[in-house]
Amino acid sequence: MAVELYKEKYRSQVREVVLGATKEEGGTRTKTITVGGQTALPFMYFEGENPHRPVVAMEVWDVVPEDWPASLKNYFEDVYDDPAAWAKKCVEEYGADLIALRFKGAHPDGKNASAEDCIDVLKKVLEAVGVPLIIFGCGVTEKDNEIIGPIGEAGAGENLLLGIATQDNYKPVASAAMAHKHCVIAQSPVDINICKQLNILIAEMSTPLLDKIIIDPVISAVGYGIEYTYSIMERARFGALQGDRMLAMPCIADVSKEVWSKKEAYVPEEENPEWGDQADRSLAWETTTATAMLHSGTDIIVLSHPEAVKKIKTHIDELVQGGS
Amino acid sequence: MIIIGERINGMFNDIAHAIREQKPAAVQEWAKKQEAMGAGYLDLNVGPALSDRVTAMKWLVEVTQEASDLPLCLDSTDYDAIEAGLKLCKQPAMINSVPAVQEKMDRVFSLASEYNAEVIGLAMSEEGIPKDAESRVALAMELVANCDAYGVPLDSLYIDPLVLPCNVGQDHGPEVFETLRQVKLLSDPAPKTVVGLSNISQGTENRELINRVFAVMAMACGLDAAIADACDEDLIAEVATARIVLNMDIYCDSFVEVFRTQNL
């Protein structure tokens, strides 16, 4: 007798969010990307739909990433002083689905790039590649609040994914998204309650933004509490599938930022011989972290290492329905 | 807990007047108001005094659907009126109600099967409302068995353990709570449960307070739905709070607003 698999029934769906805009839609992207739309847990095709495959964004900076270890920097040494060329290489050579443009150069302790400088970089990258863009600031709230408005305005029509709105500082990003019709990354500190509340706060500014929010639950690298992130994402997704429309948003995981700031990724073998080869170790760190995030239901994964991108894209091929 | 908004009922003068004069304004206002306040269904009852209940029910269904997209709960002891209403419902409706009386169950569950409707089953028989939980559960089991026999999904059945006013049948209160708990063990999937909330406070002082306390206590026993005053803001706030405390909704600071605006 055939065994009948028990199937969980869900009554709701994750919202679908479109990133980017083509010429017909008022932008200049050659294609848009749709994420979300799930009616079941990740890759559980027998229980419901996972209509859109997860996508991989590659990180591009507006300044040379001096601190990156050679094992990573080597892949970009011909382009990393030119964000447009760097983005082009990520898309054409390494297969990035999107570009995550990080305005590190705006950091007040670094180059302290102005909004105009950032816009200049944005325009060049938009021209160089046809994929949708994610925008990250330098990480200093005051400075990011200064540049996000002008960046949103300069990118009007492109349906950018603007980061980062937090509970204490969501208005600048949400306003830029509202005014210029972009999407928003809503970041909460591994906290399901704040995650939900922040979505409500953004929706109170503008109800249509509900369909333009991407949740950033703040992920951790392997060894740094990734299991907490995993359970938050699991809870959010269960909530979404059971009808909690304030949690029914796709998710992003900034794997690159978390992994490459950890010593396991950058400490050379000479300093810590028992950890083994730094190049292999860092690649494994990024790939393993990204894999866990993929399985927890992340829709957009941000990576840096071209080999990690390759491995994760292969893994996505294997996981999606019809994969081998 | 799902609130089935009780206000469109011919026992209220404005609704009785609206039905008599075929003026939909009052019905539609209440439909919109209850929806905005967080009701999940709208109960439609043509009232006791009417002779042509079929025509009245058809009219109520039509004018209500013009104002609200909520599913309807057709409330009548006249099953011809319910069938006439079901034919006009744009989405699956709820039949309110059927006791554990065989010929009535035969009629109602076959209607439910034909129109893909949910059913409120009353834990009472021809002999009236039982005194204790065991007898209520035995009648609930009859309803479950008939529901299943007619191919109606068991989670489309809402068992109403029948609430009596706390100043008349004070000893029924604990029996109702016990029934709510035990009904969940009758089948897999379990039937759902519902009460007519305002029954608990008939003829008492401070009715709303009694209703609200009863509602949250019943929720803790597994109550899924209540026919209630959706416009009682305190009741909605307390239901929202109970859902948080019972881990039915994920907490956020605006949890009451989220519950209120779930239909919007």
Side-chain angles (χ1 to χ4, degrees):
Chain A
M1 201 176 77
V3 176
E4 200 181 325
L5 281 180
Y6 178 78
K7 290 179 188 171
E8 198 65 57
K9 272 188 233 152
Y10 301 107
R11 60 189 178 93
S12 202
Q13 183 175 22
V14 178
R15 294 164 195 274
E16 282 187 333
V17 177
V18 179
L19 306 173
T22 61
K23 204 171 167 190
E24 295 73 38
E25 295 153 346
T28 60
R29 306 299 81 208
T30 51
K31 63 165 188 169
T32 61
I33 283 177
T34 306
V35 289
Q38 296 91 336
T39 60
L41 290 179
F43 313 111
M44 297 286 178
Y45 290 99
F46 67 100
E47 286 187 340
E49 290 185 25
N50 281 257
H52 306 291
R53 53 184 284 141
V55 290
V56 176
M58 282 184 79
E59 173 153 2
V60 170
W61 290 17
D62 62 334
V63 286
V64 177
E66 305 284 1
D67 297 340
W68 281 9
S71 69
L72 176 59
K73 224 154 67 171
N74 288 346
Y75 286 90
F76 306 103
E77 59 187 358
D78 53 332
V79 291
Y80 61 44
D81 53 357
D82 178 354
W86 184 353
K88 205 173 159 65
K89 188 171 190 184
C90 287
V91 173
E92 291 176 4
E93 207 165 308
Y94 302 136
D97 299 310
L98 308 87
I99 291 298
L101 190 50
R102 210 183 288 278
F103 287 103
K104 276 276 182 187
H107 200 294
D109 297 343
K111 198 178 146 200
N112 201 17
S114 66
E116 290 70 38
D117 298 334
C118 298
I119 289 169
D120 188 43
V121 171
L122 172 71
K123 287 192 168 157
K124 284 179 178 154
V125 173
L126 280 169
E127 215 164 283
V129 295
V131 300
L133 298 194
I134 303 170
I135 304 297
F136 288 119
C138 63
V140 176
T141 305
E142 298 72 33
K143 184 62 188 284
D144 287 343
N145 288 349
E146 272 173 40
I147 63 172
I148 196 65
I151 288 175
E153 191 178 351
E158 298 288 2
N159 194 16
L160 305 169
L161 175 54
L162 300 181
I164 290 171
T166 62
Q167 190 180 22
D168 298 330
N169 187 59
Y170 62 93
K171 285 184 179 163
V173 177
S175 303
M178 206 163 89
H180 306 293
K181 298 194 167 56
H182 298 302
C183 297
V184 182
I185 298 176
Q187 186 186 78
S188 41
V190 205
D191 185 317
I192 190 80
N193 308 129
I194 294 176
C195 173
K196 185 169 170 180
Q197 185 68 17
L198 177 57
N199 292 339
I200 294 164
L201 292 171
I202 292 172
E204 275 171 4
M205 284 181 71
S206 156
T207 311
L209 275 182
L210 268 179
D211 291 315
K212 308 207 67 140
I213 294 175
I214 302 288
I215 291 174
D216 175 3
V218 173
I219 70 134
S220 323
V222 166
Y224 288 84
I226 198 169
E227 53 275 40
Y228 294 102
T229 308
Y230 197 109
S231 63
I232 290 291
M233 294 191 57
E234 190 179 41
R235 188 124 190 260
R237 191 53 55 89
F238 271 129
L241 296 176
Q242 283 159 6
D244 193 331
R245 61 195 203 102
M246 290 301 174
L247 285 169
M249 289 77 176
C251 290
I252 186 169
D254 194 351
V255 173
S256 171
K257 175 168 171 262
E258 287 305 315
V259 167
W260 290 97
S261 59
K262 301 295 175 285
K263 59 184 184 298
E264 284 81 354
Y266 63 76
V267 166
E269 188 175 1
E270 304 81 72
E271 253 179 63
N272 225 338
E274 68 270 27
W275 282 7
D277 178 57
Q278 178 270 334
D280 289 349
R281 184 198 330 136
S282 58
L283 174 58
W285 225 264
E286 188 169 26
T287 309
T288 315
T289 303
T291 305
M293 287 301 104
L294 202 55
H295 285 259
S296 69
T298 301
D299 300 84
I300 307 166
I301 294 197
V302 184
L303 297 174
S304 285
H305 198 300
E307 287 302 315
V309 172
K310 202 168 152 188
K311 285 178 196 294
I312 289 300
K313 290 197 83 159
T314 306
H315 192 44
I316 293 172
D317 287 339
E318 290 163 353
L319 285 168
V320 298
Q321 197 165 37
S324 52
Chain B
M1 186 176 72
I2 303 162
I3 305 269
I4 302 169
E6 69 184 3
R7 192 52 179 75
I8 304 177
N9 188 317
M11 71 178 197
F12 292 105
N13 289 335
D14 56 347
I15 301 296
H17 181 77
I19 295 172
R20 243 188 347 263
E21 304 293 325
Q22 301 270 294
K23 286 186 176 158
V27 174
Q28 293 179 335
E29 271 167 34
W30 278 113
K32 285 182 195 152
K33 200 169 163 190
Q34 293 182 101
E35 178 171 7
M37 294 297 286
Y41 289 75
L42 297 174
D43 191 76
L44 302 184
N45 185 320
V46 300
L50 226 60
S51 54
D52 188 358
R53 289 190 286 250
V54 172
T55 309
M57 183 62 90
K58 282 161 75 174
W59 182 79
L60 266 190
V61 169
E62 276 175 343
V63 300
T64 304
Q65 288 187 138
E66 283 168 18
S68 167
D69 291 327
L70 284 184
L72 304 177
C73 177
L74 308 181
D75 183 358
S76 181
T77 49
D78 182 338
Y79 296 136
D80 292 335
I82 285 187
E83 180 162 16
L86 285 174
K87 281 185 182 156
L88 297 173
C89 286
K90 289 180 188 159
Q91 54 180 321
M94 192 184 278
I95 299 172
N96 184 8
S97 55
V98 63
V101 173
Q102 195 57 53
E103 70 268 18
K104 291 185 177 175
M105 288 192 287
D106 288 337
R107 174 85 196 267
V108 166
F109 285 118
S110 70
L111 281 179
S113 169
E114 185 177 348
Y115 294 99
N116 193 22
E118 297 176 304
V119 175
I120 295 179
L122 307 177
M124 66 179 287
S125 63
E126 278 152 331
E127 282 123 57
I129 300 175
K131 200 163 162 39
D132 57 17
E134 284 68 30
S135 319
R136 281 178 162 92
V137 172
L139 293 171
M141 190 64 226
E142 283 187 39
L143 289 156
V144 165
N146 277 273
C147 179
D148 196 35
Y150 278 92
V152 176
L154 291 168
D155 49 5
S156 293
L157 174 64
Y158 285 73
I159 299 290
D160 181 347
L162 291 167
V163 175
L164 293 182
C166 64
N167 62 347
V168 177
Q170 216 169 341
D171 50 343
H172 281 262
E175 303 298 329
V176 165
F177 293 139
E178 186 54 30
T179 308
L180 290 173
R181 285 189 204 100
Q182 290 190 21
V183 158
K184 289 293 175 190
L185 307 173
L186 289 180
S187 60
D188 184 16
K192 291 184 176 145
T193 51
V194 63
V195 294
L197 189 60
S198 56
N199 289 352
I200 191 68
S201 63
Q202 292 278 2
T204 65
E205 291 292 316
N206 212 341
R207 292 196 60 181
E208 288 178 344
L209 174 64
I210 295 172
N211 292 345
R212 294 197 291 261
V213 170
F214 182 80
V216 293
M217 290 179 75
M219 283 176 75
C221 299
L223 183 68
D224 296 299
I227 302 163
D229 178 5
C231 301
D232 177 352
E233 288 197 30
D234 291 338
L235 172 67
I236 301 294
E238 277 160 45
V239 169
T241 310
R243 287 185 62 85
I244 294 293
V245 174
L246 290 166
N247 192 27
M248 296 164 85
D249 288 330
I250 294 175
Y251 175 84
C252 67
D253 293 343
S254 306
F255 67 90
V256 176
E257 286 73 17
V258 170
F259 185 75
R260 278 212 180 97
T261 57
Q262 62 189 332
N263 295 330
L264 304 182

